[in-house]
């Protein structure tokens, strides 16, 4: 299949809408990462997403809407819980996905057989315009091959899925660069399943204390059930082995410079780069977790362009604010391998 590269103008958005309404797949820009969209109400169209990505069928998809009214209009949820409404008021449109009891219109392919559905209203104008043009809500996971870092440019999508999907709309680089925050409001107490651009602190300022799912920071034990099925899979990993190094600037620099061979590289803050004797890939700046979120996936993909690199020493980010989301992705890229430099 020839994958069309579309631009984010009115004409091309109309084209994308037609493809989607006809049961096709289109890569679309959002403020988080690029999504691979299909008509969320058409189980057959949605099943093509799983085939193109190589995504396990038990990992449910997020339904993207262009107005909060779409939830009722299309019967997406059987209940729009009060706390979800409060969060929608404050953080929609934006990088917050909310899980609620699913409505009758949601095919099993979207919810992976669960009795809940994940819903998000993206902030990106092109994303919302495409949903409008399609005339239906769009199911859209990240537009990468399953297991790879999520795509933050149209070129990343082309590299992974070119030839397998109908089109990609180029909307430039994604603002946030990490997938949305996922919170369930279908549990007795709201629980964070995946950290993202909307922080725990911001959510708690609206609905009070929330629980943080164990899988956000820790590796699931073998056979343990994941509240968010996506959390159980190895994710975001470049081909090289990644190890997180936890410690201060000097300790990080000394460790990398003293423990590196010809096949080692560093994923470091911009201020570290000049002091390191190995090839460096940038993880934004030390005190700016938004820049870290923005650069992480692009840097992980750049590492893959260097097959000679076998080992990457990455800095361990702070877990405050959006840093929690950066840490959550990096620790998965590292297969949970962390060296505490203060303890060696
Ligand atoms: P992606 O679209 O690739 O960012 O993945 C969507 C994430 O949302 C995955 O981690 C899913 O497991 C999670 N998710 C989607 N629907 C549900 C649901 N109904 N319950 C729990 N997690 C969900
Ligand atoms: Mg994904």
């Amino acid at each position: 299949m020839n994958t069309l590269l579309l631009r984010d103008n009115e004409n091309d958005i109309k084209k994308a809408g037609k493809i989607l309404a006809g049961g096709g797949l289109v890569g679309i820009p959002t403020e988080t990462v690029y999504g691979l969209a299909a008509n969320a109400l058409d189980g057959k169209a949605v099943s093509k997403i799983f085939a193109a990505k190589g995504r396990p069928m038990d990992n449910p998809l997020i339904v993207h809407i262009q107005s909060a009214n779409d939830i009722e209009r299309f019967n997406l949820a059987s209940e729009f819980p009060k706390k979800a409404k409060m969060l929608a008021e404050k953080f929609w449109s934006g990088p917050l996905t909310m899980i609620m009891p699913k409505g009758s219109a949601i095919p099993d392919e979207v919810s992976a057989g669960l009795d809940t559905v994940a819903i998000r209203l993206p902030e990106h104008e092109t994303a919302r315009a495409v949903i409008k043009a399609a005339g239906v809500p769009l199911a859209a996971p990240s537009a990468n091959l399953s297991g790879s870092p999520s795509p933050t440019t149209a070129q990343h999508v082309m590299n992974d899925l070119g030839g397998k999907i109908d089109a990609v709309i180029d909307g430039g680089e994604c603002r946030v660069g990490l997938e949305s925050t996922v919170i369930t409001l279908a549990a007795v107490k709201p629980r964070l399943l995946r950290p993202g651009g909307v922080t725990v602190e911001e959510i708690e300022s609206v609905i009070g204390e929330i629980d943080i799912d164990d899988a956000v920071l820790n590796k699931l034990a073998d056979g343990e059930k994941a509240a968010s099925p996506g959390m159980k899979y190895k994710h975001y990993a470049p081909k090289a082995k990644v190890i997180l190094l936890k410690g201060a600037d000097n300790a990080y620099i000394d460790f990398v410079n003293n423990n590196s061979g010809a096949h080692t590289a560093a994923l470091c803050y911009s201020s570290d780069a000049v002091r390191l004797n190995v090839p460096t890939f940038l993880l934004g700046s030390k005190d700016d977790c938004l820049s870290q979120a923005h650069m992480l996936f692009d840097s992980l993909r750049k590492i893959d362009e260097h097959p000679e690199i076998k080992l990457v020493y990455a800095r361990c980010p702070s877990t405050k604010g959006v840093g929690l989301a950066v840490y959550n992705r990096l620790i998965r890229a590292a297969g949970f391998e962390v060296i505490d430099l203060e303890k060696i």
Side-chain angles (χ1 to χ4, degrees):
M1 168 189 301
N2 175 34
T3 301
L4 287 174
L5 185 59
L6 301 175
R7 284 187 289 184
D8 61 350
N9 59 34
E10 220 181 297
N11 205 20
D12 279 9
I13 287 171
K14 250 192 213 156
K15 259 189 216 165
K18 262 199 190 141
I19 294 171
L20 289 160
L25 301 186
V26 180
I28 61 168
T30 82
E31 72 279 16
T32 58
V33 300
Y34 274 72
L36 180 59
N39 176 356
L41 309 181
D42 176 352
K44 212 168 135 205
V46 170
S47 67
K48 293 183 196 166
I49 293 177
F50 289 87
K53 280 179 59 97
R55 184 176 174 104
M57 291 298 290
D58 67 350
N59 193 3
L61 307 180
I62 296 170
V63 175
H64 292 69
I65 55 179
Q66 51 85 34
S67 147
N69 296 334
D70 285 354
I71 295 179
E72 214 178 309
R73 176 171 165 220
F74 290 103
N75 266 322
L76 304 180
S78 62
E79 185 199 342
F80 190 176
K82 184 164 165 252
K83 285 185 175 167
K85 279 191 180 141
M86 290 162 71
L87 291 173
E89 189 99 342
K90 180 90 181 182
F91 300 115
W92 277 1
S93 59
L96 178 68
T97 295
M98 296 198 271
I99 293 176
M100 30 193 124
K102 82 168 183 177
S104 55
I106 299 296
D108 273 346
E109 287 83 352
V110 169
S111 58
L114 299 174
D115 52 10
T116 51
V117 61
I119 301 180
R120 181 165 103 82
L121 172 50
E123 166 196 303
H124 201 293
E125 273 185 33
T126 306
R128 290 210 305 268
V130 175
I131 302 167
K132 259 192 199 158
V136 284
L138 300 177
S142 50
N144 52 292
L145 288 173
S146 198
S148 296
S150 299
T152 56
T153 66
Q155 188 58 49
H156 293 163
V157 181
M158 274 295 190
N159 293 348
D160 274 21
L161 299 173
K164 294 182 169 183
I165 62 178
D166 297 284
V168 181
I169 302 177
D170 188 351
E173 280 183 26
C174 301
R175 177 177 68 78
V176 179
L178 294 181
E179 306 86 345
S180 57
T181 303
V182 178
I183 183 170
T184 179
L185 296 136
V188 178
K189 186 171 174 191
R191 189 150 42 102
L192 181 82
L193 301 184
R194 179 174 75 184
V198 174
T199 65
V200 172
E201 294 85 342
E202 287 173 317
I203 291 172
E204 289 188 332
S205 75
V206 177
I207 58 168
E209 197 192 82
I210 61 170
D211 284 338
I212 313 265
D213 198 76
D214 260 357
V216 168
L217 291 171
N218 304 303
K219 190 176 182 173
L220 285 169
D222 281 345
E224 193 179 342
K225 197 166 175 276
S228 182
M231 287 290 184
K232 75 181 179 194
Y233 297 109
K234 189 173 154 75
H235 241 119
Y236 318 116
K239 293 183 185 80
K241 181 180 171 66
V242 178
I243 299 178
L244 287 191
L245 300 183
K246 193 172 170 189
D249 298 353
N250 286 342
Y252 174 78
I253 285 158
D254 289 346
F255 183 95
V256 175
N257 284 341
N258 292 326
N259 292 279
S260 294
H263 303 291
T264 314
L267 179 59
C268 62
Y269 300 139
S270 41
S271 51
D272 302 327
V274 289
R275 300 176 62 198
L276 291 165
N277 299 334
V278 297
T280 54
F281 297 85
L282 298 184
L283 179 61
S285 47
K286 187 180 167 192
D287 298 315
D288 179 4
C289 49
L290 292 178
S291 74
Q292 296 163 17
H294 187 76
M295 293 184 80
L296 174 65
F297 288 145
D298 189 52
S299 286
L300 289 176
R301 282 177 177 264
K302 284 201 174 105
I303 292 169
D304 271 345
E305 290 167 16
H306 299 267
E308 74 282 5
I309 296 173
K310 306 289 181 213
L311 175 62
V312 179
Y313 288 126
R315 287 215 65 158
C316 184
S318 140
T319 53
K320 291 213 179 73
V322 174
L324 183 66
V326 179
Y327 178 82
N328 169 274
R329 307 310 190 273
L330 247 183
I331 196 141
R332 284 175 167 72
F336 290 86
E337 205 168 325
V338 183
I339 298 176
D340 188 339
L341 298 174
E342 278 174 18
K343 292 196 181 144
I344 54 170

